[in-house]
Amino acid sequence: MTASAPHPLRFVGFVGNHNASEIISRQGPVVDRDYIETVAKAHELGGFDAVLQAFHADSPDSLQVSQHITSVTDRLGVLIAHRPGFQAPTILARQFATLDQLSRGRVAINVITGAERGELARDGNTVEDKDERYARTSEFLDIVRAEWTSEAPFDYQGRFYRVEQAFSQVKPYSPSGIPVWIAGASPAAVEVAGRHADTFAVWGETHDQVRELLGRVRAAAAKAGRPQPAFSLSLRPILADSEEAAWAKADGILEKAKALLDRTGFRRGELPSNEGARRLLAVADAAADRGHRHDKRLWTAIAALTGAKGNSTSLVGTPDQVADALLDYYDLGVTTFLIRGFDPLPDSIAYGRDLLPRVRQLVAERQRAQAVAAE
């Protein structure tokens, strides 16, 4: 059965702070201003709606880099990753609202809760239990939204946060506010998503996995009495002029990734603590004997190699084939695709030229057909 898709089709890319990936050793300074500007402008020219700025315990500040991205582009949005628990929610709310005003409504926040213990410890995390961290995230977002919407000072008393007479003069640019993205597959994550998510993000999993997880989030949103969120899917498309060439390109990416990891001494360790990565690894390992291939053209070899560190699964094929495969997820209810390549700048240009227009055309045709059928 085809799921309804009331949200608009969107494409979100990725702007790193320097040129690097699973197959590219870092090039340039840690904050490479020229690279950031070039990749951001390539995404805008390619028709992307927004770009993600990631958060790591040792990386440049994503909010400041995002401010620079909005200053060198005209319409490109920024999806800014943030980990609750290390900054007061009132301050964070004003920072994001200020940038949203300066950029005329181009800001969204990607709220990350279930990171690895070591990552969290580097910034001084004091809440070890993951379910408790999600409870902290829920309180954090309660206060952030109150700062963005309250017309009078407010009090809040929770287990993790307490504020008295909090108030922000600066509000988001748009009356609809700043979109909140949430990810996670554990029961605690899904419950928080049901209460707070405007967009719920999933990894590039199999059709069955995506269908199951979206169903749980829909039920959680209904239980919380909130509108259904949009759904985003994260993938690393691998494109070529023929299917054979695309799979050869994927094999080459895998070999380059292995060589780079060998040089760095990386070894896949024990299972990650976050449920999303565990789900990816389970399906990747289950298909090791058939080349890590699933469904039409989902490829999970890089996830298996790296321990599912972040966005690490691919759709492999020609632009037409990958566009068709993305439509399968669209039919499940996914309307946002967060895509980035293993060679970030050239891949973003190729996506804008060859992939995005095809997907938009297919979706428009699908919507016209549905409208005719409904008459």
Side-chain angles (χ1 to χ4, degrees), residues 27-68:
Q27 301 171 359
V30 174
V31 181
D32 191 332
R33 177 172 171 162
D34 291 341
Y35 175 81
I36 292 167
E37 292 182 6
T38 300
V39 178
K41 291 176 180 178
H43 279 82
E44 181 163 71
L45 290 171
F48 281 82
D49 297 284
V51 289
L52 171 67
Q53 253 286 303
F55 185 108
H56 299 287
D58 60 354
S59 65
D61 182 69
S62 56
L63 186 65
Q64 293 184 65
V65 175
S66 295
Q67 188 279 327
H68 185 64

Side-chain angles (χ1 to χ4, degrees), residues 6 24 26 29 96 113 130 132 147 200 206 247 259 279 284 298 342:
I24 300 173
R26 193 190 90 204
F96 270 68
T113 300
K130 187 172 68 173
E132 286 290 279
E147 279 273 304
F200 182 78
T206 66
W247 284 111
R279 286 165 59 98
L298 180 67
F342 292 99

Side-chain angles (χ1 to χ4, degrees), residues 19 30 32 83 94 112 143 184 197 217 220 246 258 277 295 310 323 359 371:
N19 191 25
V30 174
D32 191 332
R83 287 181 187 157
R94 296 196 299 275
I112 302 169
I143 295 172
V217 175
K258 288 178 179 177
D295 297 330
V359 179

Side-chain angles (χ1 to χ4, degrees), residues 140-184:
F140 182 92
L141 288 172
D142 284 342
I143 295 172
V144 166
R145 286 198 187 277
E147 279 273 304
W148 287 342
T149 60
S150 179
E151 296 300 326
F154 65 92
D155 296 338
Y156 185 94
Q157 274 207 338
R159 288 194 295 123
F160 300 96
Y161 296 104
R162 295 183 182 182
V163 297
E164 296 179 5
Q165 296 297 286
F167 180 74
S168 174
Q169 293 186 46
V170 58
K171 306 297 184 185
Y173 180 81
S174 169
S176 61
I178 293 174
V180 173
W181 288 47
I182 294 176

Side-chain angles (χ1 to χ4, degrees), residues 208-221:
D208 288 343
Q209 287 178 306
V210 171
R211 185 182 295 107
E212 180 271 336
L213 183 52
L214 266 56
R216 286 198 281 139
V217 175
R218 289 187 178 110

Side-chain angles (χ1 to χ4, degrees), residues 265-342:
F266 172 87
R267 292 293 181 272
R268 175 176 153 182
E270 31 182 72
L271 278 175
S273 61
N274 71 83
E275 185 65 22
R278 286 174 177 263
R279 286 165 59 98
L280 271 187
L281 281 181
V283 73
D285 291 344
D289 61 346
R290 58 178 187 270
H292 296 285
R293 300 187 187 190
H294 313 262
D295 297 330
K296 283 182 181 176
R297 48 194 68 259
L298 180 67
W299 186 61
T300 58
I302 297 295
L305 176 69
T306 62
K309 300 290 186 183
N311 181 1
S312 54
T313 58
S314 300
L315 294 178
V316 182
T318 68
D320 285 331
Q321 289 172 328
V322 171
D324 176 70
L326 289 174
L327 260 288
D328 291 338
Y329 290 105
Y330 179 83
D331 287 341
L332 294 176
V334 173
T335 53
T336 297
F337 295 101
L338 200 165
I339 58 175
R340 63 186 178 101
F342 292 99

